[in-house]
Amino acid sequence: MKYPVFIVWLGIFIAFAISIYMVEGTDETQKKKARISLKETEMLESLKRESKALETSLKSTKLKLKEQQQETKKLKEELAREKELRLQTVESYKEEADKHTALESELEEETKRISTEKKVDELESSLESIEMIDDDESIPEEEYVDEEEQK
């Protein structure tokens, strides 16, 4: 029994709603306001959609910016590592150059020493030959016989 009463009340409500809608007694200003209100509602809906689109675009732009910042950070770190490696390489080159310079200096000193030793050897041999000549002259003259005298 409850259902038929519910259906009756539902019918009455629908009929009342239709009668309110169908009333021609509304004036033109109310209709204009209703149209303006409808246009404003449509405009608001359009603005909401645009706002959501802009918000989505802003979020994606923020994400891209964050990714670029992370990439920039990685690149900076990589550049710092490369710089450090280059500095280490330069330092090792400097050390090698210093070693090379030291070896060249040692080689030059050794060459000078050898040259000096050769000169000393030459002077000693010259001195020995001079001493031999002096020794030959120190032989008494009596021992020497002139060849002319013997004939």
Side-chain angles (χ1 to χ4, degrees):
M1 176 139 176
K2 290 183 180 182
Y3 290 111
V5 174
F6 174 74
I7 292 175
V8 171
W9 279 107
L10 184 61
I12 292 171
F13 176 75
I14 291 173
F16 181 74
I18 290 173
S19 67
I20 290 175
Y21 184 79
M22 299 299 265
V23 172
E24 292 288 328
T26 59
D27 59 2
E28 288 297 317
T29 57
Q30 288 178 339
K31 287 181 181 179
K32 286 181 183 178
K33 285 182 182 178
R35 276 188 249 141
I36 291 174
S37 177
L38 182 61
K39 286 182 182 178
E40 288 175 347
T41 304
E42 288 174 355
M43 188 182 287
L44 281 174
E45 289 298 320
S46 173
L47 289 173
K48 284 180 183 178
R49 285 190 298 269
E50 286 180 31
S51 173
K52 286 182 182 179
L54 288 173
E55 193 174 299
T56 304
S57 175
L58 180 63
K59 284 180 183 178
S60 68
T61 304
K62 283 182 180 179
L63 269 172
K64 287 179 184 177
L65 179 63
K66 194 171 190 177
E67 289 172 358
Q68 286 178 347
Q69 287 172 339
Q70 289 173 346
E71 189 174 325
T72 302
K73 184 179 178 182
K74 287 178 185 177
L75 287 173
K76 284 181 180 179
E77 290 171 353
E78 189 175 322
L79 285 173
R81 282 192 299 269
E82 285 183 21
K83 182 179 178 182
E84 184 63 31
L85 287 173
R86 286 181 182 167
L87 288 174
Q88 289 174 355
T89 303
V90 167
E91 286 297 319
S92 67
Y93 285 159
K94 283 182 181 178
E95 289 174 4
E96 288 297 318
D98 290 344
K99 288 178 184 178
H100 184 70
T101 304
L103 286 174
E104 282 180 343
S105 175
E106 286 179 26
L107 178 64
E108 189 176 309
E109 288 176 15
E110 188 66 21
T111 304
K112 286 180 182 177
R113 187 187 61 78
I114 290 172
S115 174
T116 305
E117 284 179 0
K118 282 183 182 178
K119 285 181 183 177
V120 166
D121 287 344
E122 288 175 4
L123 288 173
E124 284 178 350
S125 67
S126 286
L127 186 62
E128 285 176 5
S129 68
I130 289 174
E131 285 178 355
M132 287 178 77
I133 291 175
D134 282 348
D135 285 345
D136 284 345
E137 289 180 1
S138 65
I139 297 176
E141 288 183 27
E142 295 174 0
E143 294 179 10
Y144 288 107
V145 178
D146 272 341
E147 289 179 13
E148 288 181 15
E149 286 181 10
Q150 285 181 356
K151 289 186 184 181

PDB file of all heavy atoms in Angstrom, residues 92-104:
ATOM      1  N   SER A  92     100.315  15.771 -12.599  1.00  0.00           N
ATOM      2  CA  SER A  92     101.203  14.659 -12.934  1.00  0.00           C
ATOM      3  C   SER A  92     102.152  15.060 -14.062  1.00  0.00           C
ATOM      4  O   SER A  92     103.321  14.678 -14.062  1.00  0.00           O
ATOM      5  CB  SER A  92     100.407  13.410 -13.319  1.00  0.00           C
ATOM      6  OG  SER A  92      99.714  13.604 -14.526  1.00  0.00           O
ATOM      7  N   TYR A  93     101.665  15.860 -15.034  1.00  0.00           N
ATOM      8  CA  TYR A  93     102.538  16.350 -16.094  1.00  0.00           C
ATOM      9  C   TYR A  93     103.631  17.245 -15.512  1.00  0.00           C
ATOM     10  O   TYR A  93     104.785  17.176 -15.932  1.00  0.00           O
ATOM     11  CB  TYR A  93     101.746  17.111 -17.155  1.00  0.00           C
ATOM     12  CG  TYR A  93     100.935  16.251 -18.083  1.00  0.00           C
ATOM     13  CD1 TYR A  93      99.869  16.790 -18.780  1.00  0.00           C
ATOM     14  CD2 TYR A  93     101.222  14.905 -18.287  1.00  0.00           C
ATOM     15  CE1 TYR A  93      99.103  16.017 -19.655  1.00  0.00           C
ATOM     16  CE2 TYR A  93     100.468  14.136 -19.143  1.00  0.00           C
ATOM     17  CZ  TYR A  93      99.412  14.690 -19.832  1.00  0.00           C
ATOM     18  OH  TYR A  93      98.678  13.924 -20.679  1.00  0.00           O
ATOM     19  N   LYS A  94     103.250  18.096 -14.553  1.00  0.00           N
ATOM     20  CA  LYS A  94     104.241  18.962 -13.919  1.00  0.00           C
ATOM     21  C   LYS A  94     105.303  18.128 -13.198  1.00  0.00           C
ATOM     22  O   LYS A  94     106.497  18.412 -13.282  1.00  0.00           O
ATOM     23  CB  LYS A  94     103.565  19.917 -12.926  1.00  0.00           C
ATOM     24  CG  LYS A  94     102.855  21.073 -13.575  1.00  0.00           C
ATOM     25  CD  LYS A  94     102.255  21.991 -12.522  1.00  0.00           C
ATOM     26  CE  LYS A  94     101.508  23.155 -13.143  1.00  0.00           C
ATOM     27  NZ  LYS A  94     100.882  24.014 -12.136  1.00  0.00           N
ATOM     28  N   GLU A  95     104.839  17.091 -12.480  1.00  0.00           N
ATOM     29  CA  GLU A  95     105.777  16.227 -11.771  1.00  0.00           C
ATOM     30  C   GLU A  95     106.725  15.543 -12.761  1.00  0.00           C
ATOM     31  O   GLU A  95     107.938  15.469 -12.530  1.00  0.00           O
ATOM     32  CB  GLU A  95     105.024  15.185 -10.950  1.00  0.00           C
ATOM     33  CG  GLU A  95     104.304  15.743  -9.744  1.00  0.00           C
ATOM     34  CD  GLU A  95     103.445  14.706  -9.037  1.00  0.00           C
ATOM     35  OE1 GLU A  95     103.465  13.516  -9.434  1.00  0.00           O
ATOM     36  OE2 GLU A  95     102.744  15.088  -8.078  1.00  0.00           O
ATOM     37  N   GLU A  96     106.156  15.045 -13.870  1.00  0.00           N
ATOM     38  CA  GLU A  96     106.980  14.398 -14.891  1.00  0.00           C
ATOM     39  C   GLU A  96     107.961  15.395 -15.503  1.00  0.00           C
ATOM     40  O   GLU A  96     109.120  15.065 -15.747  1.00  0.00           O
ATOM     41  CB  GLU A  96     106.096  13.787 -15.989  1.00  0.00           C
ATOM     42  CG  GLU A  96     105.335  12.555 -15.550  1.00  0.00           C
ATOM     43  CD  GLU A  96     106.243  11.407 -15.157  1.00  0.00           C
ATOM     44  OE1 GLU A  96     107.256  11.162 -15.846  1.00  0.00           O
ATOM     45  OE2 GLU A  96     105.956  10.758 -14.133  1.00  0.00           O
ATOM     46  N   ALA A  97     107.495  16.623 -15.746  1.00  0.00           N
ATOM     47  CA  ALA A  97     108.373  17.653 -16.298  1.00  0.00           C
ATOM     48  C   ALA A  97     109.495  17.977 -15.314  1.00  0.00           C
ATOM     49  O   ALA A  97     110.655  18.148 -15.722  1.00  0.00           O
ATOM     50  CB  ALA A  97     107.573  18.905 -16.638  1.00  0.00           C
ATOM     51  N   ASP A  98     109.162  18.058 -14.031  1.00  0.00           N
ATOM     52  CA  ASP A  98     110.183  18.318 -13.016  1.00  0.00           C
ATOM     53  C   ASP A  98     111.209  17.183 -12.975  1.00  0.00           C
ATOM     54  O   ASP A  98     112.415  17.423 -12.889  1.00  0.00           O
ATOM     55  CB  ASP A  98     109.538  18.501 -11.635  1.00  0.00           C
ATOM     56  CG  ASP A  98     108.746  19.797 -11.523  1.00  0.00           C
ATOM     57  OD1 ASP A  98     108.935  20.685 -12.386  1.00  0.00           O
ATOM     58  OD2 ASP A  98     107.940  19.918 -10.574  1.00  0.00           O
ATOM     59  N   LYS A  99     110.698  15.935 -13.052  1.00  0.00           N
ATOM     60  CA  LYS A  99     111.607  14.784 -13.077  1.00  0.00           C
ATOM     61  C   LYS A  99     112.495  14.846 -14.318  1.00  0.00           C
ATOM     62  O   LYS A  99     113.706  14.595 -14.245  1.00  0.00           O
ATOM     63  CB  LYS A  99     110.819  13.472 -13.071  1.00  0.00           C
ATOM     64  CG  LYS A  99     110.169  13.148 -11.757  1.00  0.00           C
ATOM     65  CD  LYS A  99     109.370  11.856 -11.850  1.00  0.00           C
ATOM     66  CE  LYS A  99     108.614  11.540 -10.585  1.00  0.00           C
ATOM     67  NZ  LYS A  99     107.800  10.314 -10.722  1.00  0.00           N
ATOM     68  N   HIS A 100     111.871  15.183 -15.444  1.00  0.00           N
ATOM     69  CA  HIS A 100     112.622  15.274 -16.704  1.00  0.00           C
ATOM     70  C   HIS A 100     113.694  16.358 -16.602  1.00  0.00           C
ATOM     71  O   HIS A 100     114.846  16.151 -17.010  1.00  0.00           O
ATOM     72  CB  HIS A 100     111.652  15.575 -17.855  1.00  0.00           C
ATOM     73  CG  HIS A 100     112.285  15.604 -19.196  1.00  0.00           C
ATOM     74  ND1 HIS A 100     112.755  14.473 -19.815  1.00  0.00           N
ATOM     75  CD2 HIS A 100     112.545  16.643 -20.039  1.00  0.00           C
ATOM     76  CE1 HIS A 100     113.273  14.793 -20.976  1.00  0.00           C
ATOM     77  NE2 HIS A 100     113.157  16.109 -21.143  1.00  0.00           N
ATOM     78  N   THR A 101     113.337  17.496 -16.035  1.00  0.00           N
ATOM     79  CA  THR A 101     114.290  18.594 -15.860  1.00  0.00           C
ATOM     80  C   THR A 101     115.424  18.168 -14.938  1.00  0.00           C
ATOM     81  O   THR A 101     116.602  18.458 -15.212  1.00  0.00           O
ATOM     82  CB  THR A 101     113.574  19.835 -15.294  1.00  0.00           C
ATOM     83  OG1 THR A 101     112.499  20.185 -16.153  1.00  0.00           O
ATOM     84  CG2 THR A 101     114.515  21.010 -15.152  1.00  0.00           C
ATOM     85  N   ALA A 102     115.078  17.470 -13.863  1.00  0.00           N
ATOM     86  CA  ALA A 102     116.102  16.994 -12.926  1.00  0.00           C
ATOM     87  C   ALA A 102     117.036  16.010 -13.631  1.00  0.00           C
ATOM     88  O   ALA A 102     118.264  16.071 -13.468  1.00  0.00           O
ATOM     89  CB  ALA A 102     115.449  16.352 -11.708  1.00  0.00           C
ATOM     90  N   LEU A 103     116.461  15.101 -14.436  1.00  0.00           N
ATOM     91  CA  LEU A 103     117.290  14.139 -15.154  1.00  0.00           C
ATOM     92  C   LEU A 103     118.182  14.841 -16.180  1.00  0.00           C
ATOM     93  O   LEU A 103     119.347  14.474 -16.346  1.00  0.00           O
ATOM     94  CB  LEU A 103     116.408  13.100 -15.849  1.00  0.00           C
ATOM     95  CG  LEU A 103     115.758  12.059 -14.940  1.00  0.00           C
ATOM     96  CD1 LEU A 103     114.803  11.183 -15.740  1.00  0.00           C
ATOM     97  CD2 LEU A 103     116.819  11.208 -14.265  1.00  0.00           C
ATOM     98  N   GLU A 104     117.635  15.855 -16.857  1.00  0.00           N
ATOM     99  CA  GLU A 104     118.449  16.604 -17.815  1.00  0.00           C
ATOM    100  C   GLU A 104     119.595  17.311 -17.096  1.00  0.00           C
ATOM    101  O   GLU A 104     120.724  17.344 -17.593  1.00  0.00           O
ATOM    102  CB  GLU A 104     117.589  17.630 -18.557  1.00  0.00           C
ATOM    103  CG  GLU A 104     116.734  17.047 -19.645  1.00  0.00           C
ATOM    104  CD  GLU A 104     115.900  18.101 -20.369  1.00  0.00           C
ATOM    105  OE1 GLU A 104     115.736  19.223 -19.835  1.00  0.00           O
ATOM    106  OE2 GLU A 104     115.432  17.789 -21.477  1.00  0.00           O
TER     107      GLU A 104
END
